[in-house]
Amino acid sequence: MSRPEHLAPPEIFYNEEEAKKYTQNSRIIDIQVQMSERAIELLVLPEDTPCHLLDIGCGSGLSGSVLEEQGHYWCGLDISNSMLDVARDREVEGDLIMSDMGQGCPFRAGIFDGAISISALQWLCNADKTSHNPVQRLHKFFTMLYACLSRSARAVFQFYPENSEQMELVTTQAMKAGFYGGMVIDYPNSAKAKKIFLVLMTGGNMPLPSALGTDENSQGVSYTAAREKAKKMRGKPLKKGRAWIIEKKERRQKQGKESRPNTKYTGRKRSGRF
Amino acid sequence: MKLITHNMLTSKCMKGVTVGYPLKIQAVDVKTTEVDFNPEFISRLIPKVDWNVLCSAAESIGYLEDLPKEVTENYENNVDFLKKAHRVLLEIDIINGELICPETGRKFPINNGIPNMLLNEDEV
Ligand SMILES: C[S@@+](CC[C@H](N)C(=O)[O-])C[C@H]1O[C@@H](n2cnc3c(N)ncnc32)[C@H](O)[C@@H]1O
């Protein structure tokens, strides 16, 4: 199978058609949701605290929806106009910015409690234009990311490195920018369940979280819980129907947040006469 | 683009720009949407907000409303203050317009609520 990042630059590859296909494919949704949940776990955020997070390569907001589910507020960056359009049409809660991570992170210092990036970092290892130099672009990206994170914040990247050189390339550039950390590889013995996470820390050298399924016998079995959860998500419409709205309200009430009482109007289309 | 984002966003990725903050707003189309109020999130956010920039941004697009000019003492326990902050940070959405770099005058268009911060190759 050829890698998408070899086919075309991301802003071309993720065109309108691909963005739609991507966001409607239930298998893709399952996988992105599972990986996002794991990435958030690896962020080790303070418990029961709504955080201000950055989603790098947020795409159509599949990863961002998981941040919302867990009660966080997010801001998303992506280079693809079409992916961002889908995110906006899905009415995600996060605010969206079109930008190229290889040009840096356009934010003030110290404002995010953490960052996640799901299935995007491998794109940065590629030179899409003659003027692109992956080492320089990674360097600029990690340096500016470091600056916009608060002290003790982490950044977790799930990505698909093409080979061990790429893993080394990104790790080296991240360390040069001042981060501590390294790779956490879940289910390293399973071709299917294996997932690679780059875990970066700002506050000092702490032990890396342990990977899942590292003993010989476990070939991804403990993914079942996540899979069950993803199954529930799969039945859900992407469009925000009444059932979805009511469920979300219940979730928010559980988190102690305000929400309007349910009425017969909940989730109804507005008449447009406003 | 919400004002929380404007409060955090800079043009410092551009070659030759040192601070790139605050970006000037030229709003063509502004919308307000109701967003669930989460007092804990707003209290945690306030120390990170540049309050003066928030006030002048809101004022420049005509949505200052009754936002206090300064952060109130003990704001964590002041629901009224937190609600006003929430309103301005999260509920006001700039749909179309432009952001302008304070150092170079470079314009970044906002279309359908999304600011386009992409730089040309000769700007990085
Ligand atoms: C496989 S999608 C993942 C989207 C989302 N994180 C999710 O989990 O569904 C990868 C995304 O990375 C974005 N991307 C690739 N290169 C990028 C770059 N240089 N800057 C910003 N985004 C980029 C693409 O546009 C695409 O939306």
Side-chain angles (χ1 to χ4, degrees):
Chain A
M1 206 180 74
S2 56
R3 304 174 66 93
E5 63 278 16
H6 289 175
L7 299 176
E11 65 276 23
I12 310 280
F13 178 82
Y14 291 104
N15 57 17
E16 209 174 310
E17 193 192 350
E18 182 63 30
K20 254 206 206 107
K21 226 166 57 187
Y22 183 89
T23 319
Q24 284 170 352
N25 181 321
S26 60
R27 197 183 60 89
I28 292 181
I29 298 173
D30 284 3
I31 297 173
Q32 299 312 112
V33 165
Q34 276 177 25
M35 296 190 302
S36 306
E37 285 177 343
R38 176 66 173 144
I40 298 167
E41 190 177 281
L42 291 169
L43 276 183
V44 213
L45 296 167
E47 232 167 283
D48 296 324
T49 310
C51 291
H52 184 225
L53 304 175
L54 176 64
D55 187 347
I56 304 154
C58 64
S60 54
L62 296 179
S63 39
S65 302
V66 181
L67 297 173
E68 284 168 26
E69 294 256 319
Q70 304 205 3
H72 302 299
Y73 180 82
W74 60 282
C75 174
L77 287 187
D78 204 283
I79 197 172
S80 155
N81 200 7
S82 306
M83 289 294 264
L84 290 169
D85 276 346
V86 175
R88 202 203 44 235
D89 291 347
R90 290 180 59 227
E91 295 182 26
V92 293
E93 283 169 18
D95 218 12
L96 307 165
I97 299 172
M98 183 150 82
S99 94
D100 173 1
M101 61 202 269
Q103 296 180 340
C105 284
F107 300 104
R108 269 202 292 132
I111 52 161
F112 291 109
D113 301 317
I116 64 162
S117 174
I118 309 296
S119 317
L121 188 60
Q122 69 278 359
W123 286 94
L124 216 51
C125 300
N126 250 42
D128 289 317
K129 297 185 180 149
T130 45
S131 57
H132 278 184
N133 172 338
V135 175
Q136 266 171 19
R137 283 166 53 81
L138 282 162
H139 178 76
K140 177 133 196 212
F141 167 64
F142 283 126
T143 315
M144 291 186 86
L145 173 65
Y146 188 94
C148 74
L149 293 174
S150 64
R151 289 313 80 152
S152 85
R154 297 186 179 199
V156 175
F157 298 79
Q158 177 280 326
F159 75 123
Y160 298 105
E162 205 175 328
N163 45 42
S164 54
E165 285 81 55
Q166 274 191 2
M167 294 223 271
E168 204 172 309
L169 172 70
V170 297
T171 315
T172 310
Q173 290 310 317
M175 303 300 128
K176 269 195 186 157
F179 284 108
Y180 295 92
M183 299 288 172
V184 172
I185 304 181
D186 284 353
Y187 306 104
N189 308 313
S190 156
K192 247 180 128 178
K194 181 174 170 180
K195 289 288 172 302
I196 300 174
F197 295 87
L198 173 64
V199 177
L200 300 179
M201 302 179 271
T202 53
N205 205 355
M206 307 253 278
L208 278 174
S210 43
L212 301 175
T214 42
D215 58 79
E216 290 293 321
N217 311 328
S218 92
Q219 299 251 325
V221 267
S222 29
Y223 249 132
T224 40
R227 213 176 281 144
E228 278 306 307
K229 225 174 153 193
K231 222 189 250 166
K232 269 203 305 193
M233 295 272 302
R234 198 185 310 158
K236 274 188 210 166
L238 278 176
K239 285 258 175 72
K240 311 209 154 176
R242 180 177 161 87
W244 186 93
I245 292 172
I246 291 178
E247 214 179 290
K248 174 146 181 175
K249 283 185 175 179
E250 280 169 4
R251 256 193 333 263
R252 299 194 69 98
Q253 278 156 10
K254 263 192 250 149
Q255 292 165 359
K257 291 178 203 161
E258 278 184 17
S259 68
R260 296 263 168 118
N262 292 324
T263 67
K264 64 177 178 175
Y265 299 110
T266 303
R268 272 209 202 164
K269 269 231 161 75
R270 303 232 168 146
S271 68
R273 257 179 284 137
F274 287 91
Chain B
M1 187 196 67
K2 298 175 195 286
L3 290 187
I4 180 180
T5 305
H6 170 262
N7 206 268
M8 311 287 172
L9 199 60
T10 76
S11 55
K12 70 176 168 200
C13 293
M14 257 180 98
K15 188 160 70 183
V17 172
T18 47
V19 183
Y21 184 83
L23 298 167
K24 217 178 138 219
I25 307 175
Q26 210 108 63
V28 174
D29 198 1
V30 180
K31 195 181 81 180
T32 58
T33 25
E34 207 177 301
V35 173
D36 293 337
F37 174 53
N38 181 342
E40 198 190 345
F41 174 68
I42 300 292
S43 324
R44 288 195 76 234
L45 189 69
I46 283 181
K48 294 179 189 155
V49 171
D50 185 322
W51 199 261
N52 288 332
V53 169
L54 182 68
C55 292
S56 38
E59 194 169 16
S60 76
I61 57 170
Y63 279 85
L64 188 58
E65 299 176 1
D66 51 358
L67 187 71
K69 280 268 181 243
E70 265 159 52
V71 177
T72 318
E73 249 178 82
N74 289 323
Y75 57 83
E76 299 95 327
N77 308 314
N78 187 337
V79 179
D80 183 53
F81 175 81
L82 293 176
K83 279 201 166 149
K84 287 176 182 164
H86 162 86
R87 162 86 178 157
V88 176
L89 286 163
L90 297 181
E91 299 199 323
I92 297 167
D93 215 346
I94 301 163
I95 306 299
N96 288 302
E98 266 169 357
L99 295 172
I100 303 166
C101 168
E103 291 168 40
T104 62
R106 160 74 142 93
K107 292 179 174 166
F108 299 94
I110 306 171
N111 295 315
N112 286 322
I114 303 174
N116 177 350
M117 302 303 289
L118 291 175
L119 300 172
N120 301 324
E121 285 308 314
D122 59 358
E123 292 173 319
V124 290

